[in-house]
Amino acid sequence: MARIVIADDDADIRELVVFKLRHGGHDVVPVGDGAAAVEACTAEKPDLVILDVMMPGMSGLDAARALRQDAAMDGLPIIMLTARAQESDIEQGFEAGADDYIVKPFSPRELASRVSAVLARR
């Protein structure tokens, strides 16, 4: 069981991800934007964070960069979960520090598999 922060401003997607991950036995902390994700990661010390790219205020890319600059978050796996599917978008995600990049629409089963794979590499 892992503690996972999920940040997405779309409540329906956030609830779907929370449901799937909790069904898999994980402890999930849902938040609605990038700034709240950074705060939750600082407070909760999760095993993984899943970030949407396009969110109001602080984007997922900015949140990933902030987490990568925080020594206390060293080694925290980051998965981007986003509708941004262009090659340049994916490149930006990895440059910001993502360990994996999942494009919406996505399969909840694939998401669970990728979460497991990223956690196993940790």
Side-chain angles (χ1 to χ4, degrees):
M1 178 159 129
R3 177 168 297 220
I4 301 171
V5 170
I6 166 70
D8 199 308
D9 61 322
D10 183 322
D12 292 334
I13 291 178
R14 191 172 59 240
E15 288 173 16
L16 171 65
V17 172
V18 167
F19 175 80
K20 184 64 178 175
L21 295 176
R22 285 186 177 155
H23 187 267
H26 299 292
D27 180 20
V28 184
V29 179
V31 297
D33 60 57
V38 173
E39 289 175 20
C41 287
T42 301
E44 301 288 336
K45 305 291 189 246
D47 300 299
L48 171 73
V49 61
I50 300 172
L51 300 169
D52 182 15
V53 170
M54 298 181 296
M55 293 184 284
M58 179 183 274
S59 73
L61 294 173
D62 291 336
R65 289 183 192 105
L67 291 168
R68 289 293 180 237
Q69 292 175 356
D70 184 345
M73 296 292 115
D74 187 41
L76 174 66
I78 298 172
I79 296 177
M80 296 302 220
L81 179 63
T82 179
R84 306 285 304 251
Q86 297 295 320
E87 187 175 321
S88 60
D89 297 322
I90 296 168
E91 186 177 312
Q92 285 180 334
F94 284 114
E95 286 174 355
D99 295 286
D100 201 353
Y101 195 100
I102 302 171
V103 177
K104 295 174 186 174
F106 63 96
S107 157
R109 183 177 289 174
E110 180 183 357
L111 172 68
S113 295
R114 289 189 183 215
V115 163
S116 294
V118 169
L119 289 170
R121 288 192 302 263
R122 185 171 189 234

Coordinates of all heavy atoms in Angstrom, one line a residue, residues 33-112:
D33 N -5.4 21.3 -7.4 CA -4.5 22.2 -8.2 C -3.0 21.9 -7.8 O -2.8 21.2 -6.9 CB -4.8 23.7 -8.1 CG -4.7 24.2 -6.7 OD1 -3.6 24.1 -6.1 OD2 -5.7 24.7 -6.2
G34 N -2.1 22.5 -8.6 CA -0.7 22.3 -8.4 C -0.2 22.7 -7.1 O 0.6 22.1 -6.4
A35 N -0.6 23.9 -6.6 CA -0.1 24.5 -5.3 C -0.6 23.5 -4.2 O 0.2 23.3 -3.3 CB -0.6 25.9 -5.1
A36 N -1.8 23.1 -4.3 CA -2.3 22.2 -3.2 C -1.5 20.8 -3.3 O -1.3 20.2 -2.2 CB -3.8 21.9 -3.4
A37 N -1.1 20.4 -4.5 CA -0.3 19.2 -4.6 C 1.0 19.3 -3.9 O 1.5 18.4 -3.2 CB -0.1 18.8 -6.1
V38 N 1.7 20.5 -4.1 CA 3.0 20.7 -3.5 C 2.8 20.7 -2.0 O 3.6 20.1 -1.2 CB 3.6 22.0 -4.0 CG1 4.9 22.3 -3.2 CG2 4.0 21.9 -5.5
E39 N 1.8 21.4 -1.5 CA 1.5 21.5 0.0 C 1.2 20.1 0.5 O 1.7 19.7 1.6 CB 0.3 22.4 0.2 CG 0.6 23.8 0.0 CD -0.7 24.7 0.2 OE1 -1.6 24.3 0.8 OE2 -0.6 25.8 -0.3
A40 N 0.4 19.3 -0.2 CA 0.0 17.9 0.3 C 1.3 17.0 0.3 O 1.4 16.2 1.2 CB -1.0 17.3 -0.6
C41 N 2.1 17.2 -0.7 CA 3.4 16.4 -0.7 C 4.3 16.7 0.5 O 4.9 15.8 1.1 CB 4.1 16.6 -2.0 SG 3.3 15.7 -3.4
T42 N 4.3 18.0 0.8 CA 5.2 18.4 1.9 C 4.6 17.9 3.2 O 5.3 17.4 4.1 CB 5.2 20.0 1.9 OG1 5.8 20.4 0.7 CG2 6.1 20.5 3.1
A43 N 3.3 17.9 3.4 CA 2.6 17.5 4.6 C 2.5 16.0 4.7 O 2.7 15.4 5.8 CB 1.2 18.1 4.7
E44 N 2.2 15.3 3.6 CA 1.9 13.9 3.6 C 3.1 13.0 3.4 O 3.0 11.8 3.7 CB 0.8 13.6 2.6 CG -0.5 14.3 2.8 CD -1.2 13.8 4.1 OE1 -1.0 12.7 4.5 OE2 -2.0 14.6 4.6
K45 N 4.2 13.5 2.8 CA 5.3 12.7 2.4 C 4.9 11.4 1.6 O 5.1 10.3 2.1 CB 6.1 12.2 3.6 CG 6.6 13.4 4.5 CD 7.6 14.2 3.8 CE 8.2 15.3 4.7 NZ 7.9 16.6 4.4
P46 N 4.2 11.6 0.5 CA 3.7 10.5 -0.3 C 4.8 9.6 -0.9 O 5.9 10.0 -1.0 CB 2.8 11.1 -1.3 CG 3.5 12.4 -1.6 CD 4.0 12.9 -0.2
D47 N 4.4 8.5 -1.4 CA 5.2 7.6 -2.1 C 5.2 7.9 -3.6 O 6.1 7.4 -4.4 CB 4.8 6.1 -1.9 CG 4.8 5.7 -0.4 OD1 5.9 5.8 0.1 OD2 3.8 5.4 0.1
L48 N 4.2 8.6 -4.1 CA 4.0 8.9 -5.5 C 3.1 10.1 -5.6 O 2.2 10.3 -4.8 CB 3.4 7.7 -6.2 CG 2.9 7.9 -7.6 CD1 4.1 8.0 -8.6 CD2 2.0 6.7 -8.0
V49 N 3.2 10.9 -6.6 CA 2.3 12.0 -6.9 C 1.9 11.9 -8.4 O 2.7 11.6 -9.3 CB 2.8 13.4 -6.6 CG1 4.1 13.8 -7.4 CG2 1.8 14.5 -6.8
I50 N 0.6 12.1 -8.7 CA 0.0 12.1 -10.0 C -0.5 13.5 -10.3 O -1.3 14.1 -9.5 CB -1.1 11.1 -10.2 CG1 -0.6 9.7 -9.9 CG2 -1.7 11.2 -11.6 CD1 -1.7 8.6 -9.8
L51 N 0.0 14.2 -11.3 CA -0.3 15.6 -11.6 C -0.9 15.7 -13.0 O -0.4 15.3 -14.0 CB 1.0 16.4 -11.6 CG 1.8 16.4 -10.3 CD1 3.1 17.1 -10.5 CD2 1.0 17.2 -9.2
D52 N -2.0 16.5 -13.0 CA -2.6 16.9 -14.3 C -1.7 18.1 -14.7 O -1.1 18.8 -13.9 CB -4.0 17.4 -14.1 CG -4.7 17.9 -15.4 OD1 -4.2 17.6 -16.5 OD2 -5.7 18.6 -15.3
V53 N -1.5 18.3 -16.0 CA -0.7 19.4 -16.5 C -1.4 20.7 -16.4 O -0.9 21.7 -15.8 CB -0.1 19.2 -17.9 CG1 0.6 20.4 -18.4 CG2 0.9 18.0 -17.9
M54 N -2.6 20.8 -17.0 CA -3.4 22.0 -17.1 C -4.3 22.2 -15.9 O -5.4 21.6 -15.8 CB -4.2 22.1 -18.4 CG -3.3 22.0 -19.6 SD -4.2 22.1 -21.2 CE -5.1 20.6 -21.1
M55 N -3.9 23.0 -14.9 CA -4.7 23.3 -13.7 C -4.6 24.8 -13.5 O -3.6 25.4 -13.8 CB -4.2 22.5 -12.5 CG -4.4 21.0 -12.6 SD -3.9 20.1 -11.1 CE -2.1 20.2 -11.2
P56 N -5.7 25.3 -12.8 CA -5.6 26.8 -12.5 C -4.5 27.1 -11.5 O -4.2 26.2 -10.7 CB -7.0 27.1 -11.9 CG -7.5 25.7 -11.5 CD -6.9 24.7 -12.4
G57 N -4.0 28.3 -11.6 CA -2.9 28.7 -10.7 C -1.6 28.0 -11.1 O -1.1 28.2 -12.2
M58 N -1.1 27.1 -10.2 CA 0.1 26.4 -10.5 C -0.2 25.2 -11.4 O -0.9 24.3 -11.0 CB 0.8 26.0 -9.2 CG 2.1 25.2 -9.4 SD 2.8 24.7 -7.9 CE 3.8 26.1 -7.4
S59 N 0.5 25.1 -12.5 CA 0.3 23.9 -13.4 C 1.0 22.7 -12.9 O 1.8 22.8 -11.9 CB 0.8 24.2 -14.8 OG 2.2 24.2 -14.8
G60 N 0.7 21.6 -13.4 CA 1.3 20.3 -13.0 C 2.8 20.4 -13.3 O 3.6 19.8 -12.6
L61 N 3.2 21.0 -14.4 CA 4.6 21.2 -14.8 C 5.3 22.0 -13.7 O 6.4 21.6 -13.3 CB 4.8 21.8 -16.1 CG 4.3 21.0 -17.3 CD1 4.3 21.8 -18.6 CD2 5.0 19.7 -17.5
D62 N 4.7 23.1 -13.3 CA 5.3 24.0 -12.3 C 5.4 23.2 -10.9 O 6.4 23.4 -10.2 CB 4.6 25.3 -12.1 CG 4.7 26.2 -13.3 OD1 5.7 26.0 -14.0 OD2 3.8 27.0 -13.5
A63 N 4.4 22.4 -10.6 CA 4.4 21.7 -9.4 C 5.5 20.6 -9.4 O 6.2 20.4 -8.4 CB 3.0 21.0 -9.2
A64 N 5.6 20.0 -10.6 CA 6.7 19.0 -10.7 C 8.1 19.6 -10.5 O 8.9 19.1 -9.8 CB 6.6 18.3 -12.0
R65 N 8.3 20.8 -11.1 CA 9.5 21.5 -10.9 C 9.8 21.9 -9.5 O 10.9 21.8 -9.0 CB 9.6 22.8 -11.8 CG 9.7 22.4 -13.3 CD 9.8 23.7 -14.1 NE 9.6 23.4 -15.5 CZ 8.5 23.7 -16.2 NH1 7.5 24.3 -15.7 NH2 8.4 23.3 -17.5
A66 N 8.7 22.4 -8.8 CA 8.9 22.8 -7.4 C 9.2 21.5 -6.6 O 10.1 21.6 -5.7 CB 7.6 23.4 -6.9
L67 N 8.6 20.4 -6.8 CA 8.9 19.2 -6.1 C 10.3 18.7 -6.3 O 11.0 18.3 -5.4 CB 7.9 18.1 -6.4 CG 6.5 18.4 -5.9 CD1 5.5 17.4 -6.5 CD2 6.4 18.3 -4.4
R68 N 10.8 18.8 -7.6 CA 12.2 18.4 -7.9 C 13.2 19.3 -7.2 O 14.3 18.9 -7.0 CB 12.4 18.4 -9.4 CG 11.6 17.2 -10.1 CD 12.2 15.9 -9.7 NE 11.5 14.8 -10.3 CZ 10.9 13.8 -9.6 NH1 11.0 13.8 -8.3 NH2 10.4 12.8 -10.3
Q69 N 12.8 20.6 -7.0 CA 13.8 21.5 -6.3 C 13.8 21.4 -4.8 O 14.7 21.9 -4.2 CB 13.4 22.9 -6.7 CG 13.7 23.2 -8.2 CD 13.2 24.6 -8.6 OE1 12.7 25.3 -7.8 NE2 13.5 25.0 -9.8
D70 N 12.9 20.6 -4.3 CA 12.8 20.5 -2.8 C 13.6 19.2 -2.4 O 13.2 18.1 -2.7 CB 11.3 20.3 -2.4 CG 11.1 20.3 -0.9 OD1 12.0 20.0 -0.2 OD2 9.9 20.4 -0.5
A71 N 14.6 19.4 -1.6 CA 15.5 18.3 -1.2 C 14.7 17.3 -0.4 O 15.0 16.1 -0.5 CB 16.7 18.8 -0.4
A72 N 13.7 17.7 0.3 CA 12.9 16.7 1.1 C 12.0 15.8 0.2 O 11.6 14.8 0.7 CB 12.0 17.5 2.0
M73 N 11.8 16.2 -1.0 CA 11.0 15.4 -2.0 C 11.9 14.6 -2.9 O 11.5 14.0 -3.9 CB 10.1 16.3 -2.8 CG 9.1 17.1 -2.0 SD 7.8 15.9 -1.3 CE 8.2 16.2 0.4
D74 N 13.2 14.5 -2.6 CA 14.2 13.8 -3.4 C 13.7 12.4 -3.7 O 13.4 11.6 -2.7 CB 15.6 13.8 -2.8 CG 16.6 13.2 -3.7 OD1 16.6 13.5 -4.9 OD2 17.5 12.5 -3.2
G75 N 13.6 12.0 -4.9 CA 13.2 10.6 -5.3 C 11.7 10.4 -5.3 O 11.3 9.2 -5.6
L76 N 10.9 11.4 -5.1 CA 9.5 11.2 -5.2 C 9.1 11.0 -6.6 O 9.3 11.8 -7.5 CB 8.7 12.5 -4.7 CG 7.2 12.5 -4.8 CD1 6.6 11.4 -4.0 CD2 6.7 13.9 -4.5
P77 N 8.5 9.8 -6.9 CA 8.1 9.6 -8.3 C 6.9 10.5 -8.7 O 6.0 10.7 -7.9 CB 7.6 8.1 -8.3 CG 8.2 7.5 -7.1 CD 8.3 8.6 -6.1
I78 N 6.9 10.9 -9.9 CA 5.9 11.8 -10.5 C 5.3 11.2 -11.8 O 6.1 10.9 -12.7 CB 6.4 13.2 -10.8 CG1 6.9 13.9 -9.5 CG2 5.4 14.1 -11.4 CD1 7.7 15.2 -9.7
I79 N 4.0 11.1 -11.8 CA 3.3 10.7 -13.1 C 2.5 11.9 -13.5 O 1.7 12.4 -12.7 CB 2.4 9.4 -12.9 CG1 3.3 8.2 -12.5 CG2 1.6 9.2 -14.1 CD1 2.5 7.0 -12.2
M80 N 2.6 12.2 -14.8 CA 1.8 13.3 -15.4 C 0.6 12.5 -16.0 O 0.7 11.5 -16.7 CB 2.5 14.0 -16.5 CG 3.7 14.8 -15.9 SD 3.2 16.0 -14.7 CE 4.2 17.4 -15.1
L81 N -0.6 13.0 -15.7 CA -1.9 12.5 -16.3 C -2.6 13.7 -16.9 O -3.1 14.5 -16.3 CB -2.7 11.9 -15.2 CG -4.0 11.3 -15.6 CD1 -3.8 10.1 -16.5 CD2 -4.8 10.8 -14.3
T82 N -2.6 13.7 -18.3 CA -3.0 14.9 -18.9 C -3.5 14.7 -20.3 O -3.2 13.7 -21.0 CB -1.8 15.9 -19.0 OG1 -2.2 17.1 -19.7 CG2 -0.6 15.3 -19.8
A83 N -4.3 15.7 -20.8 CA -4.8 15.6 -22.2 C -3.8 16.2 -23.2 O -4.0 16.0 -24.4 CB -6.1 16.5 -22.3
R84 N -2.7 16.7 -22.7 CA -1.7 17.3 -23.5 C -0.9 16.1 -24.2 O -0.1 15.5 -23.5 CB -0.7 18.2 -22.8 CG -1.4 19.3 -22.0 CD -1.9 20.5 -22.9 NE -0.8 21.0 -23.7 CZ -0.3 22.2 -23.5 NH1 -0.6 23.0 -22.5 NH2 0.7 22.7 -24.3
A85 N -1.1 15.9 -25.5 CA -0.6 14.7 -26.1 C 0.5 14.9 -27.2 O 1.0 14.0 -27.8 CB -1.7 13.8 -26.7
Q86 N 0.8 16.2 -27.4 CA 1.8 16.4 -28.5 C 3.2 16.0 -28.0 O 3.5 16.0 -26.8 CB 1.8 17.9 -28.8 CG 0.6 18.5 -29.4 CD 0.3 17.9 -30.7 OE1 1.2 17.7 -31.6 NE2 -1.0 17.5 -31.0
E87 N 4.0 15.7 -28.9 CA 5.4 15.2 -28.6 C 6.1 16.3 -27.7 O 6.8 15.9 -26.8 CB 6.2 15.0 -29.9 CG 7.5 14.3 -29.6 CD 8.2 14.0 -30.9 OE1 7.6 13.5 -31.8 OE2 9.5 14.2 -31.0
S88 N 5.9 17.6 -28.1 CA 6.6 18.6 -27.3 C 6.0 18.7 -25.9 O 6.7 19.0 -24.9 CB 6.4 20.0 -28.0 OG 5.0 20.3 -28.1
D89 N 4.7 18.4 -25.7 CA 4.1 18.4 -24.3 C 4.7 17.3 -23.5 O 5.0 17.5 -22.3 CB 2.6 18.1 -24.4 CG 1.9 19.3 -25.1 OD1 2.2 20.4 -25.0 OD2 0.9 19.0 -25.9
I90 N 4.9 16.1 -24.1 CA 5.4 15.0 -23.4 C 6.9 15.3 -23.0 O 7.3 15.0 -21.9 CB 5.3 13.7 -24.2 CG1 3.8 13.3 -24.5 CG2 6.1 12.5 -23.6 CD1 3.6 12.3 -25.5
E91 N 7.6 15.9 -23.9 CA 9.0 16.2 -23.7 C 9.1 17.2 -22.5 O 9.9 17.1 -21.6 CB 9.6 16.9 -24.9 CG 11.1 17.2 -24.8 CD 11.6 17.7 -26.2 OE1 11.3 17.2 -27.2 OE2 12.3 18.8 -26.1
Q92 N 8.2 18.2 -22.5 CA 8.1 19.2 -21.4 C 7.9 18.5 -20.0 O 8.4 18.8 -19.0 CB 7.1 20.2 -21.6 CG 7.4 21.3 -22.6 CD 6.3 22.3 -22.8 OE1 5.1 22.0 -22.6 NE2 6.7 23.5 -23.2
G93 N 7.0 17.5 -20.1 CA 6.7 16.7 -18.8 C 7.9 16.0 -18.3 O 8.2 16.1 -17.1
F94 N 8.6 15.4 -19.1 CA 9.8 14.7 -18.7 C 10.9 15.7 -18.3 O 11.6 15.4 -17.3 CB 10.3 13.7 -19.7 CG 9.5 12.4 -19.8 CD1 8.8 12.1 -20.9 CD2 9.4 11.6 -18.7 CE1 8.0 11.0 -21.0 CE2 8.7 10.4 -18.8 CZ 7.9 10.1 -19.9
E95 N 11.0 16.8 -19.0 CA 12.0 17.8 -18.6 C 11.7 18.4 -17.2 O 12.6 18.8 -16.5 CB 12.1 18.9 -19.7 CG 12.8 18.5 -20.9 CD 12.7 19.5 -22.0 OE1 12.1 20.6 -21.9 OE2 13.4 19.3 -23.1
A96 N 10.4 18.5 -16.9 CA 9.9 19.0 -15.6 C 10.2 18.0 -14.5 O 10.1 18.4 -13.3 CB 8.5 19.4 -15.6
G97 N 10.5 16.8 -14.8 CA 10.8 15.8 -13.8 C 9.9 14.6 -13.7 O 10.0 13.8 -12.7
A98 N 9.0 14.4 -14.6 CA 8.1 13.3 -14.6 C 8.8 12.0 -14.8 O 9.8 11.9 -15.6 CB 7.0 13.5 -15.6
D99 N 8.4 11.0 -14.1 CA 8.9 9.6 -14.3 C 8.1 8.8 -15.3 O 8.5 7.9 -15.9 CB 8.9 8.9 -12.9 CG 9.8 9.5 -12.0 OD1 11.0 9.3 -12.1 OD2 9.3 10.2 -11.0
D100 N 6.8 9.3 -15.5 CA 5.9 8.6 -16.5 C 4.9 9.7 -16.9 O 4.7 10.7 -16.3 CB 5.2 7.4 -15.9 CG 4.7 6.5 -16.9 OD1 4.7 6.8 -18.2 OD2 4.2 5.4 -16.6
Y101 N 4.3 9.4 -18.1 CA 3.4 10.4 -18.7 C 2.2 9.6 -19.3 O 2.5 8.8 -20.2 CB 4.2 11.2 -19.8 CG 3.5 12.5 -20.3 CD1 3.9 13.7 -19.8 CD2 2.5 12.4 -21.2 CE1 3.3 14.9 -20.3 CE2 1.9 13.6 -21.7 CZ 2.3 14.8 -21.2 OH 1.8 16.0 -21.7
I102 N 1.0 9.9 -18.8 CA -0.2 9.2 -19.3 C -1.1 10.2 -19.9 O -1.4 11.3 -19.3 CB -0.9 8.5 -18.1 CG1 0.1 7.5 -17.5 CG2 -2.1 7.8 -18.6 CD1 -0.4 6.9 -16.2
V103 N -1.6 9.9 -21.1 CA -2.4 10.8 -21.9 C -3.9 10.5 -21.7 O -4.3 9.3 -21.7 CB -2.1 10.8 -23.4 CG1 -3.0 11.7 -24.2 CG2 -0.6 11.2 -23.6
K104 N -4.7 11.5 -21.4 CA -6.2 11.3 -21.3 C -6.7 11.3 -22.7 O -6.3 12.1 -23.6 CB -6.8 12.5 -20.6 CG -6.4 12.6 -19.1 CD -7.0 13.9 -18.5 CE -6.5 14.1 -17.1 NZ -6.9 15.4 -16.6
P105 N -7.8 10.6 -23.0 CA -8.4 9.6 -22.1 C -7.5 8.4 -21.8 O -6.7 8.1 -22.7 CB -9.7 9.2 -22.9 CG -9.4 9.5 -24.3 CD -8.4 10.6 -24.3
F106 N -7.7 7.9 -20.7 CA -6.8 6.8 -20.2 C -7.6 5.6 -19.7 O -8.8 5.8 -19.4 CB -5.9 7.3 -19.1 CG -6.6 7.7 -17.9 CD1 -6.7 6.8 -16.8 CD2 -7.1 9.0 -17.8 CE1 -7.4 7.2 -15.7 CE2 -7.8 9.4 -16.6 CZ -7.9 8.5 -15.6
S107 N -7.0 4.5 -19.7 CA -7.6 3.3 -19.1 C -7.3 3.3 -17.6 O -6.1 3.3 -17.3 CB -7.1 2.1 -19.8 OG -7.2 0.9 -19.0
P108 N -8.3 3.2 -16.7 CA -8.0 3.1 -15.3 C -7.1 1.9 -15.0 O -6.3 2.0 -14.1 CB -9.4 3.0 -14.7 CG -10.3 3.7 -15.6 CD -9.7 3.3 -17.0
R109 N -7.3 0.8 -15.7 CA -6.5 -0.4 -15.5 C -5.0 -0.1 -15.9 O -4.1 -0.5 -15.2 CB -7.0 -1.5 -16.3 CG -6.2 -2.8 -16.1 CD -6.8 -4.0 -16.9 NE -8.1 -4.3 -16.3 CZ -8.9 -5.2 -16.8 NH1 -8.6 -5.8 -17.9 NH2 -10.0 -5.5 -16.2
E110 N -4.8 0.6 -17.0 CA -3.4 1.0 -17.4 C -2.8 1.9 -16.3 O -1.6 1.8 -16.0 CB -3.4 1.6 -18.8 CG -2.0 2.1 -19.2 CD -2.0 2.8 -20.5 OE1 -3.0 3.0 -21.2 OE2 -0.8 3.2 -20.9
L111 N -3.6 2.9 -15.8 CA -3.1 3.8 -14.8 C -2.6 3.0 -13.6 O -1.5 3.2 -13.1 CB -4.2 4.8 -14.4 CG -3.8 5.6 -13.2 CD1 -2.7 6.6 -13.5 CD2 -5.1 6.4 -12.7
A112 N -3.4 2.0 -13.1 CA -3.1 1.2 -12.0 C -1.8 0.4 -12.3 O -0.9 0.3 -11.4 CB -4.2 0.3 -11.6

